[in-house]
Amino acid sequence: MRPKDKIAYFYDGDVGSVYFGPNHPMKPHRLCMTHHLVLAYDLHKKMEIYRPHKAYPVELAQFHSADYVEFLHRITPDTQHLFSNELARYNLGEDCPVFENLFEFCQIYAGGTIDAARRLNNQLCDIAINWAGGLHHAKKCEASGFCYINDLVLGILELLKYHARVLYIDIDVHHGDGVEEAFYFTDRVMTVSFHKYGDMFFPGTGDVKDIGEREGKFYAINVPLKDGIDDTSFTRLFKTIISKVVEMYQPGAIVLQCGADSLAGDRLGCFNLSIDGHAECVRIVKKFNLPLLVTGGGGYTKENVARCWTVETGVLLDTELPNEIPENEYIKYFAPECLLNIPNGHIENLNSKSYISTIKMQVLENLRCIQHAPGVQMQEVPPDFFIPDFDEDEQNPDERMDQHTQDKQIQRDDEYYDGDNDNDQNMDM
């Protein structure tokens, strides 16, 4: 028997309190709902809970351009009217609005994914979870599709310090374009995205014919699907492709983006997946017993997002959850039934057997073209990113901190950490 997996879970209550705006589909409040459901099911008692560090601008600039990071740091809702050229250049606006505490929001969700990768690298856990992460559309120099900083790329870059090959898997309903683009020319990361494609569906990329270029040729895999795919077709296709990918590519670590907008009934999605079907993909990936970093992603029917990621936390902990949702702060959102399972979707499945079979054959054909596990010459592993702590004595007391900064330095006592699992103070950088 393998020893039980050790699981690290990253959460900061501040991510759930930002607000994209009244008509925006992205509701970070879903992260609070997920966390409280995880607590209600007592799952926190089986994991190590950490508050992530806020990623420093210089860490974000490991992938993003320094000028873009600097602009995100500087811009506020009150000053944005002065920067119309820059807003256009960095694609900030309707989809990616400037809101209060935007940069801190990015620092927290990216910090969670970076910390998750570092704990895996240092063999301090087998599985690391950051439901706030998974913002897969962000590009090097611009925001896109509700994503500002691409935490997945930053996490993968961290894993590449210790692993010759990293596998990225994406089950969001939208194509994982930002991650694919970042690693399109290298064989050190294989990206595999299952997504809706066609009908001008966002972001419009992810054709089965897009397979990577130069050294990365055959190391990008796209599984384009049509409306209405159901559990049976999706999980069968997923298992066939991912099993072959792991066999051929032999990754040292896996990053799994669990966007919940592929669930039935999502406000922006068009698939028919149940939570069980979605979670089955997590179960399949866990069985490879490789270091695993799991993130969230899209998901716009927030009570279903919370249900889904809670069930998937249970899957990663080998814990089956009772269908009846326990009492918690957000119970009213799950009314009237207050059950974990969601009804099946009723969108017509436009993915014919022959269509799925064709896609599967094309993908498996491309996989045959990669040499068995490409040889990567491992250089000496670079040290983890080191940032010195600020010495409070050296800070000029005349430079008064604004109230928000002071508030941030006060330990919140309303955040729930439990006994021995409270590792908030000894998080190693």
Side-chain angles (χ1 to χ4, degrees):
M1 269 283 283
R2 281 180 75 249
K4 240 182 160 19
D5 285 323
K6 190 168 181 186
I7 310 222
Y9 169 101
F10 294 85
Y11 178 73
D12 184 324
D14 289 346
V15 281
S17 57
V18 299
Y19 187 49
F20 276 61
N23 301 313
H24 201 288
M26 176 61 96
K27 310 283 185 200
H29 182 243
R30 67 203 180 125
L31 300 165
C32 292
M33 290 169 63
T34 302
H35 185 62
H36 279 82
L37 210 46
V38 164
L39 296 180
Y41 276 107
D42 276 346
L43 297 177
H44 57 293
K45 295 179 177 172
K46 303 182 177 189
M47 308 185 281
E48 295 187 339
I49 310 284
Y50 297 94
R51 179 178 292 136
H53 87 287
K54 291 190 182 76
Y56 293 82
V58 67
E59 291 179 280
L60 304 179
Q62 299 297 298
F63 170 57
H64 294 283
S65 63
D67 60 304
Y68 172 54
V69 172
E70 212 271 312
F71 186 73
L72 285 179
H73 198 174
R74 210 169 18 135
I75 194 74
T76 68
D78 296 338
T79 59
Q80 61 177 327
H81 65 282
L82 304 170
F83 295 100
S84 53
N85 289 347
E86 288 89 342
L87 291 172
R89 180 188 318 150
Y90 299 126
N91 197 32
L92 296 167
E94 201 173 346
D95 270 6
C96 302
V98 175
F99 51 79
E100 205 63 56
N101 299 327
L102 165 61
F103 191 67
E104 189 187 26
F105 172 67
C106 295
Q107 288 180 292
I108 294 171
Y109 78 71
T113 301
I114 293 167
D115 284 349
R118 288 185 184 152
R119 285 199 86 75
L120 288 165
N121 279 345
N122 294 316
Q123 298 180 1
L124 296 170
C125 62
D126 305 297
I127 298 171
I129 303 171
N130 178 27
W131 293 126
L135 281 81
H136 59 172
H137 297 305
K139 309 292 197 299
K140 181 183 170 83
C141 304
E142 66 175 46
S144 174
F146 319 158
C147 306
Y148 302 83
I149 292 293
N150 199 316
D151 62 290
L152 293 156
V153 171
L154 296 169
I156 291 167
L157 288 173
E158 203 62 43
L159 291 169
L160 287 172
K161 294 177 182 178
Y162 284 67
H163 298 282
R165 290 174 302 284
V166 174
L167 171 61
Y168 171 71
I169 305 169
D170 189 317
I171 58 171
D172 194 289
V173 78
H174 300 97
H175 177 229
D177 58 341
V179 184
E180 175 182 282
E181 186 178 295
F183 300 110
Y184 207 61
F185 299 113
T186 179
D187 58 4
R188 291 202 55 200
V189 180
M190 178 172 275
T191 59
V192 187
S193 178
F194 296 77
H195 50 266
K196 153 80 177 176
Y197 179 74
D199 310 325
M200 307 287 288
F201 194 74
F202 185 85
T205 49
D207 193 336
V208 72
K209 294 196 278 290
D210 299 333
I211 56 170
E213 288 175 30
R214 306 206 295 253
E215 284 77 40
K217 190 172 182 183
F218 303 118
Y219 293 90
I221 292 176
N222 283 298
V223 185
L225 301 164
K226 302 176 192 290
D227 287 5
I229 194 156
D230 56 27
D231 287 352
T232 312
S233 332
F234 191 90
T235 55
R236 192 181 290 156
L237 186 60
F238 183 87
K239 187 170 189 179
T240 304
I241 289 172
I242 295 302
S243 303
K244 197 67 186 165
V245 162
V246 171
E247 178 198 329
M248 297 294 283
Y249 188 60
Q250 295 176 23
I254 299 179
V255 176
L256 175 60
Q257 195 269 20
C258 296
D261 46 9
S262 41
L263 291 175
D266 187 80
R267 185 172 158 188
L268 298 186
C270 52
F271 285 177
N272 279 334
L273 299 186
S274 71
I275 289 172
D276 279 345
H278 200 273
E280 180 59 25
C281 298
V282 177
R283 199 172 276 112
I284 290 164
V285 173
K286 181 182 186 291
K287 282 194 179 125
F288 293 114
N289 294 328
L290 288 163
L292 176 59
L293 199 170
V294 180
T295 72
Y300 307 99
T301 301
K302 59 186 187 173
E303 60 278 14
N304 290 350
V305 176
R307 287 177 165 106
C308 182
W309 293 343
T310 301
V311 167
E312 288 170 352
T313 304
V315 165
L316 295 166
L317 289 166
D318 293 315
T319 303
E320 189 125 356
L321 305 181
N323 193 22
E324 195 161 321
I325 293 175
E327 182 55 49
N328 71 90
E329 207 175 308
Y330 299 105
I331 193 77
K332 64 178 189 294
Y333 286 94
F334 305 102
E337 294 88 2
C338 296
L339 301 176
L340 267 188
N341 293 334
I342 58 169
N344 285 339
H346 300 295
I347 297 173
E348 186 191 352
N349 187 355
L350 300 179
N351 299 274
S352 65
K353 281 206 169 72
S354 71
Y355 175 74
I356 286 181
S357 173
T358 305
I359 292 293
K360 183 173 71 181
M361 296 326 289
Q362 284 176 278
V363 168
L364 296 177
E365 188 53 48
N366 289 338
L367 269 173
R368 276 194 273 279
C369 299
I370 73 170
Q371 310 111 6
H372 242 73
V376 171
Q377 197 65 45
M378 284 304 275
Q379 289 86 24
E380 190 183 340
V381 172
D384 271 357
F385 204 79
F386 177 72
I387 293 141
D389 285 333
F390 296 110
D391 186 338
E392 284 177 33
D393 297 336
E394 286 183 14
Q395 283 186 318
N396 184 345
D398 296 333
E399 291 173 12
R400 293 278 170 244
M401 287 190 288
D402 63 54
Q403 187 60 46
H404 186 69
T405 310
Q406 286 180 43
D407 291 346
K408 290 293 147 213
Q409 296 190 355
I410 296 167
Q411 192 67 39
R412 296 252 303 265
D413 57 9
D414 62 338
E415 294 203 329
Y416 188 94
Y417 294 97
D418 193 82
D420 296 338
N421 289 346
D422 179 1
N423 295 307
D424 203 20
Q425 302 310 318
N426 59 11
M427 172 78 201
D428 48 312
M429 271 285 289

